[in-house]
Amino acid sequence: MERVPIQLTVNGQPYQAEVEPRMLLVHFIRDVLNLTGTHIGCDTTSCGACTVLWDGRPVKSCTVFAVQADGGEIQTVEGLERDGQLHPVQEGFWEEHGLQCGFCTPGMIMTAVALLQENPDPSEEEIRKAIAGNLCRCTGYVNIVKAIQYAARKMRETAPATAGIAGGE
Amino acid sequence: MTTTPIRGLGHPVKRKEDPRFIRGKGTYVDDIKLPGMLYLDIVRSPYAHARIKRIDASKALAMPGVVDVITGAELEKAGLAWMPTLMSDRQMVLPTDRVVYYAQEVAAVVATDRYTAADAVLAVEVEYEPLTPVLDPFKALEPGAPLVRPDREQKTNHIWHWEAGDKEKTDRIFQEAQVVVSQDLYIPRIHVCSIETCGCVVNYDRATDKLTIWMTSQAPHAHRTVFSLVSGIPEHKIRIISPDIGGGFGGKVPVYPGYVIATYAALKLGKPIKWIEDRSENLQADTFARDYHIHAELAATRDGKIRAMRVHTVADHGAFDAAANPSKFPAGLFSVCTGSYDMEAAHVAVDGVYTNKPPGGVAYRCSFRVTEAVHTIERMVDILADELGMDPAEIRFKNFIRPEQFPYKSPTGWEYDSGNYPATLQKALDAIGYQELRREQAERRARGELMGIGISTFTEIVGAGPSHTFDILGIKMFDSAEIRVHPTGSAIVRIGVQTQGQGHETTFAQIVAEELGLPVENIIVEHGDTDTAPYGLGTYASRSTPTAGAATAVAARKIREKARLIAAHLLEVSPDDLEWRDYAFRVKGAPDRFKTMQEIAFAAYTNFPQGLEGGLEAVCYYDPPNLTFPFGAYVCVVDIDRGTGQVKVREFLAVDDCGTIINPMIVEGQIHGGLTMGLAPALFEEIVYDENGTMLTGTFMDYLLPTAMETPHWKTDKTVTPSPHHPLGAKGVGESPTIGAPPAIVNAVVDALSHLGVRHIDIPITPAKVYQILLEKGVAE
Ligand code: FES
Ligand code: FES
């Protein structure tokens, strides 16, 4: 099949590649760039395990073609840590036992990062709404909510320096 | 004394496995990529029952990038068209002449990438002659029903009949009983749906003649043995690695055809093969849970004392009996269905039946068939209470096995290890304000509002199991641990069980920390690699803590006994003059003279007494003397919307008793997750087939997993009744909430509608179902 050149930035790193137009962004991230933190849990855009940030907005990367993301900036879970410092959301998931098998975790974390950029002080209800597109089979969500609340607190305390993630500096 | 805290039993130690997961650095099967790796994809049947007339792979094989197409005919030549199931049945790997369920594997394609493989699947032409499918297990038993399995000698769809208890005594009590209640309950087919699907990467290295299989396996050692027996490859030439696993819940216990085909392809083609199923395949063809049609009866006195229980169940096993049960228990531990209640007699019978549906009958985060058992008794007790006009709490207090009756011999032959049921229920009722809720319910009822309170006081049975009774294909269900203490006082622990999110790398380190007095951060736990871990039967049925947890404690105690000799040598006293206290060997009467394990470890390599072997390590294969019996009391409060039939779980309190707690944070997390997997089948999940046997719920769009929006903010509490026979007193907890929650929720919904004459509703209690009832009762808005 014919291949199309694309250029995009992933976790601040520029990449160029030639891909089939039908290649999903999630496969590009996982199989071409070998960033396997982004997972695949379904084939109907239901589970959110594949969630990444595309120009700062959370998207299910199983439902985006790599060619659509041409020229865009992608952020995956691997890009959250800065100078050996975990992102507050990562820290929150560890502190509050917000993960068990860890399979949904990268997607959950990316969704939470996006939420806290928009809403630094979400209520429990708002958090639950924000992660409603991310399925977790292990945790029962209570500790995920707590993890995000932990991150929100931490980010408010240390704002504005580390709030959110800088896209592609 | 050591300055670093030990943080053994009872500490909420943050999980050791998390740093890799929160960074996206876990290694799940689909993350493994080998040079030259090919991708396998599977052609599946669009029919539930059909004869295969022709398979034409020529178009697929002509596609660039397609390497091979494998069919049943080819596997048959290699003797691999069939494989044994764990229940002494056999199962098709790829069919040679017929398909027996929708989405069954029909052929496999191998290609250079996943997209080409998926294209090639569509290009394989299969001609079918549809046959009448058998879908209803009752009809399957009627004379003249089409045969699901003509390959068997017995020309019937009946698989087996199994019973437990004393039939004669039970029947006698029923004849003379003052009160009898009976109910049909259907516990539908559901699917575990771990967020990671199943798959494998297989690599055969010709140079070393070694086969390595990375596999989504909850039981890598047992799978290695099965692979060796089926393929004839010597067991030491097979290495199964169960890497990070994205949830198991029972679904990763069976051996699926895909694993076998991928292994065959790797051996045939001499290239690494990856097979990862997609979600639809996972839902449509992988093993299911439940599917029990139950008829249950209770006999009681007029004042509410239960005297006997009688149960008959028809179990739909699909096209092959591929349940994952201990071999002697075709219906799992279903006979524990007398629950937390003392009664004179019980009789339980189960008939297994073939239908044209996917094979299975595994747990769904529950010990073998215990969910079905608990649902039955907890519903029946409420139905009896309703019959007698008693409060559901009161009838439970009246019938509980009393604390002084433990160890308690149940009428179906189980010996419950320990329990204090009244205390746990009382704690739950007090905490939730039961009396106040009943008052509120009365007020709301008067206003026409529908509010219900449901109780479930379940007993779980886990930790399979004692080797005299429990085996899988003859392999006894012991489990193992191996501990090696390094000279500088850190240690490696290898265990025969395998984690899929339960946190073994943390909790097993805590056990060793506690037993040896070494800081938890200096202990690393490894598991899941059959070349390095000691043999074990794997993680399911909440057996890890009861079996391998015990093995770990016993292995550590063996190390401590050797350490005592070294400490005596160092302190120049007799070993008998030492006692282990505050994480050190201390001279009796002079506790300031002591040696820590760290000092002893160094001496074990540098300065050990003459006549003693050097080093400090131990192995234990632990055969539990009995199962463990965790229990709990759950209270659920629901409100029902009269306009939509929607059930809202307003409040849910789970008081669990799992014996000694190793890590309270992890236990609480397990309970939250288990409760959510109890909520799911109670209100949402069900696998549905149409009249042709086509699955209608084959994706996450129609098979509804609860999201954060449907899941309530769980409240938990505990009582602690240690197991008397487990070295730590621990019982296991991962599945209690999944078995305890559904009846609490159903009992609450039925309670909300009981004044309208509703006595039972089958799960899942969907809004449509409830709204229909509201319409019938004339209270819909
Ligand atoms: S894999 Fe993208 S939503 Fe499930
Ligand atoms: S932690 Fe396992 S799916 Fe969320």
Side-chain angles (χ1 to χ4, degrees):
Chain A
M1 199 172 281
E2 168 216 3
R3 287 169 175 264
V4 178
I6 57 168
Q7 260 186 9
L8 68 177
T9 308
V10 180
N11 301 331
Q13 277 262 126
Y15 289 94
Q16 292 190 346
E18 297 212 328
V19 298
E20 282 188 24
R22 64 175 176 172
M23 176 175 263
L24 300 175
L25 179 59
V26 69
H27 286 138
F28 180 76
I29 293 170
R30 289 179 51 82
D31 293 351
V32 180
L33 304 186
N34 292 319
L35 294 170
T36 53
T38 303
H39 297 148
I40 301 171
C42 74
D43 40 19
T44 47
T45 321
S46 310
C47 76
C50 60
T51 307
V52 300
L53 303 191
W54 177 14
D55 293 338
R57 287 179 24 243
V59 293
K60 294 181 172 177
S61 63
C62 69
T63 314
V64 176
F65 293 116
V67 292
Q68 283 177 281
D70 187 22
E73 274 178 24
I74 303 293
Q75 191 88 35
T76 72
V77 68
E78 288 95 339
L80 289 179
E81 201 174 351
R82 284 292 143 91
D83 308 323
Q85 197 56 38
L86 290 174
H87 187 282
V89 175
Q90 290 173 305
E91 199 185 305
F93 271 73
W94 193 11
E95 287 291 332
E96 298 292 346
H97 189 27
L99 64 150
Q100 290 180 25
C101 79
F103 201 76
C104 71
T105 310
M108 280 290 180
I109 287 180
M110 296 317 286
T111 302
V113 167
L115 167 71
L116 296 182
Q117 273 172 355
E118 251 181 39
N119 180 354
D121 191 10
S123 65
E124 169 159 0
E125 185 70 11
E126 286 168 330
I127 292 174
R128 284 177 178 270
K129 258 193 199 127
I131 61 170
N134 293 70
L135 294 173
C136 176
R137 199 57 155 165
C138 301
T139 65
Y141 304 106
V142 174
N143 289 348
I144 292 180
V145 171
K146 283 193 203 158
I148 298 171
Q149 287 168 334
Y150 174 100
R153 262 195 320 275
K154 174 117 192 203
M155 286 165 75
R156 285 199 307 276
E157 281 160 17
T158 54
T162 58
I165 48 163
E169 68 270 71
Chain B
M1 286 301 316
T2 50
T3 42
T4 326
I6 303 299
R7 297 193 298 153
L9 294 192
H11 288 262
V13 177
K14 279 201 295 176
R15 295 203 326 167
K16 286 164 164 281
E17 36 275 269
D18 288 357
R20 64 178 187 273
F21 293 139
I22 54 176
R23 291 180 167 94
K25 296 289 185 195
T27 304
Y28 302 90
V29 171
D30 198 14
D31 301 342
I32 290 159
K33 204 173 171 184
L34 301 176
M37 190 169 76
L38 301 174
Y39 291 80
L40 185 135
D41 206 344
I42 291 177
V43 180
R44 292 181 183 271
S45 169
Y47 295 102
H49 198 191
R51 198 165 284 130
I52 297 174
K53 295 174 70 180
R54 192 177 59 91
I55 299 179
D56 182 355
S58 53
K59 286 203 183 104
L61 283 166
M63 294 168 67
V66 174
V67 178
D68 200 5
V69 176
I70 297 164
T71 62
E74 179 179 342
L75 289 188
E76 195 175 32
K77 286 193 204 110
L80 286 174
W82 293 80
M83 62 179 180
T85 71
L86 298 179
M87 294 312 295
S88 309
D89 194 357
R90 60 179 202 149
Q91 174 175 0
M92 292 179 201
V93 177
L94 284 175
T96 50
D97 62 340
R98 58 169 59 219
V99 286
V100 286
Y101 57 90
Y102 174 77
Q104 184 182 341
E105 298 80 357
V106 173
V109 300
V110 182
T112 48
D113 68 287
R114 28 178 133 228
Y115 286 70
T116 309
D119 289 342
V121 162
L122 299 175
V124 175
E125 288 173 6
V126 187
E127 198 181 318
Y128 299 94
E129 178 192 325
L131 302 169
T132 310
V134 185
L135 300 168
D136 178 333
F138 293 96
K139 291 206 179 112
L141 292 175
E142 286 171 4
L147 274 189
V148 176
R149 294 288 303 283
D151 61 289
R152 287 170 82 241
E153 226 166 83
Q154 305 92 312
K155 299 298 173 207
T156 161
N157 292 320
H158 184 256
I159 317 175
W160 41 255
H161 175 83
W162 175 86
E163 25 187 295
D166 185 337
K167 179 162 169 32
E168 205 186 310
K169 186 173 177 193
T170 305
D171 288 346
R172 200 165 358 101
I173 294 174
F174 267 88
Q175 258 165 22
E176 66 187 36
Q178 293 171 340
V179 181
V180 171
V181 287
S182 72
Q183 183 65 49
D184 286 326
L185 308 97
Y186 176 50
I187 305 191
R189 195 172 258 251
I190 53 175
H191 198 288
V192 296
C193 287
S194 52
I195 302 299
E196 178 199 36
T197 61
C198 296
C200 62
V201 172
V202 189
N203 186 38
Y204 172 61
D205 184 336
R206 273 191 216 287
T208 57
D209 195 24
K210 183 118 186 186
L211 183 68
T212 305
I213 310 173
W214 290 262
M215 179 168 152
T216 45
S217 168
Q218 292 180 237
H221 281 101
H223 286 158
R224 184 187 66 190
T225 304
V226 172
F227 266 67
S228 174
L229 292 173
V230 171
S231 67
I233 300 171
E235 202 165 349
H236 68 290
K237 300 269 187 195
I238 303 176
R239 177 183 188 187
I240 295 191
I241 300 174
S242 179
D244 288 326
I245 298 293
F249 314 116
K252 289 167 181 170
V253 176
V255 175
Y256 294 116
Y259 300 139
V260 179
I261 308 167
T263 303
Y264 172 81
L267 289 165
K268 176 185 173 191
L269 302 170
K271 290 265 173 61
I273 303 283
K274 177 181 275 191
W275 168 65
I276 305 289
E277 63 185 9
D278 60 31
R279 173 60 57 194
S280 318
E281 296 179 285
N282 172 264
L283 253 170
Q284 291 169 12
D286 282 4
T287 188
F288 68 92
R290 321 272 162 84
D291 218 347
Y292 259 33
H293 299 260
I294 299 164
H295 179 75
E297 300 165 279
L298 284 183
T301 62
R302 248 187 298 280
D303 62 353
K305 180 78 196 76
I306 301 168
R307 297 194 58 205
M309 181 179 200
R310 197 157 58 183
V311 182
H312 180 245
T313 292
V314 170
D316 185 340
H317 277 261
F320 309 106
D321 189 10
N325 285 323
S327 299
K328 295 189 190 72
F329 297 86
L333 312 182
F334 184 64
S335 66
V336 78
C337 61
T338 55
S340 309
Y341 313 101
D342 184 24
M343 56 186 85
E344 294 161 55
H347 182 252
V348 186
V350 184
D351 284 283
V353 182
Y354 289 122
T355 61
N356 286 114
K357 292 180 204 156
V362 296
Y364 166 109
R365 196 175 186 150
C366 81
S367 189
F368 320 102
R369 300 292 189 185
V370 179
T371 317
E372 290 89 325
V374 165
H375 203 83
T376 306
I377 184 67
E378 289 304 309
R379 278 278 47 239
M380 291 310 291
V381 167
D382 261 40
I383 287 168
L384 178 64
D386 186 57
E387 175 79 18
L388 299 171
M390 281 174 83
D391 182 277
E394 183 195 348
I395 197 164
R396 284 175 166 80
F397 281 120
K398 189 170 183 107
N399 286 286
F400 276 148
I401 298 161
R402 294 183 313 278
E404 65 276 14
Q405 284 177 282
F406 290 93
Y408 171 79
K409 190 93 178 165
S410 91
T412 53
W414 301 106
E415 190 179 294
Y416 294 16
D417 59 348
S418 64
N420 189 346
Y421 303 150
T424 307
L425 178 57
Q426 197 56 55
K427 185 164 190 175
L429 297 180
D430 293 346
I432 205 153
Y434 185 67
Q435 293 311 333
E436 183 48 43
L437 284 170
R438 285 283 172 215
R439 266 193 294 279
E440 182 193 338
Q441 181 188 35
E443 282 168 29
R444 285 185 186 270
R445 249 184 208 178
R447 292 201 297 268
E449 293 172 26
L450 300 174
M451 164 189 168
I453 307 151
I455 297 173
S456 154
T457 44
F458 64 91
T459 292
E460 163 80 304
I461 171 172
V462 303
S467 66
H468 51 75
T469 329
F470 289 92
D471 67 84
I472 287 186
L473 293 175
I475 306 167
K476 306 285 192 188
M477 295 185 75
F478 57 79
D479 228 292
S480 61
E482 188 184 286
I483 304 170
R484 196 173 297 167
V485 183
H486 306 315
T488 51
S490 60
I492 182 165
V493 185
R494 291 191 168 117
I495 49 180
V497 293
Q498 185 284 343
T499 178
Q500 311 114 40
Q502 296 88 340
H504 291 169
E505 291 167 35
T506 310
T507 49
F508 283 74
Q510 285 183 263
I511 295 173
V512 175
E514 178 71 29
E515 294 292 333
L516 295 186
L518 296 172
V520 72
E521 42 269 70
N522 294 350
I523 299 162
I524 187 171
V525 176
E526 283 186 2
H527 55 90
D529 182 340
T530 56
D531 264 11
T532 55
Y535 203 101
L537 270 285
T539 293
Y540 41 84
S542 293
R543 66 186 295 280
S544 290
T545 300
T547 60
T552 305
V554 172
R557 287 172 194 179
K558 287 185 189 174
I559 285 180
R560 219 160 62 192
E561 277 324 295
K562 179 169 179 183
R564 172 193 293 274
L565 303 179
I566 299 172
H569 166 71
L570 295 176
L571 290 163
E572 298 179 335
V573 294
S574 148
D576 296 339
D577 292 336
L578 292 177
E579 59 181 348
W580 176 258
R581 199 149 52 80
D582 294 336
Y583 301 125
F585 276 112
R586 293 166 195 277
V587 177
K588 287 180 195 162
D592 290 345
R593 290 189 63 209
F594 64 86
K595 288 290 166 195
T596 65
M597 192 57 74
Q598 185 152 4
E599 296 167 298
I600 296 166
F602 198 67
Y605 295 85
T606 59
N607 176 22
F608 48 89
Q610 285 283 315
L612 200 67
E613 282 181 22
L616 199 55
E617 57 184 80
V619 181
C620 172
Y621 283 75
Y622 185 81
D623 185 2
N626 188 6
L627 296 123
T628 60
F629 294 77
F631 59 97
Y634 292 177
V635 188
C636 173
V637 185
V638 300
D639 297 299
I640 296 177
D641 185 330
R642 283 172 50 195
T644 61
Q646 187 106 28
V647 173
K648 174 138 180 68
V649 177
R650 183 208 302 181
E651 197 173 355
F652 196 109
L653 171 68
V655 181
D656 271 280
D657 193 320
C658 58
T660 306
I661 288 174
I662 299 168
N663 182 324
M665 176 194 82
I666 287 179
V667 166
E668 194 192 31
Q670 289 289 306
I671 293 170
H672 289 164
L675 291 170
T676 309
M677 283 184 84
L679 173 79
L683 297 185
F684 309 108
E685 293 175 13
E686 178 175 18
I687 290 180
V688 182
Y689 294 88
D690 71 7
E691 66 282 6
N692 300 317
T694 304
M695 193 193 282
L696 301 177
T697 49
T699 75
F700 275 169
M701 300 290 275
D702 14 54
Y703 186 82
L704 296 182
L705 270 59
T707 74
M709 291 303 288
E710 291 82 35
T711 307
H713 192 117
W714 305 111
K715 292 187 186 144
T716 62
D717 206 336
K718 64 171 185 295
T719 57
V720 176
T721 311
S723 168
H725 65 75
H726 186 281
L728 303 171
K731 289 187 168 187
V733 74
E735 301 167 329
S736 293
T738 308
I739 70 160
I745 296 167
V746 178
N747 287 347
V749 175
V750 172
D751 182 60
L753 303 169
S754 59
H755 60 297
L756 305 170
V758 175
R759 193 174 256 192
H760 176 71
I761 308 175
D762 276 332
I763 55 174
I765 303 184
T766 58
K769 233 181 235 179
V770 176
Y771 196 72
Q772 189 57 38
I773 294 169
L774 299 181
L775 277 178
E776 279 162 21
K777 303 292 178 190
V779 295
E781 265 174 3

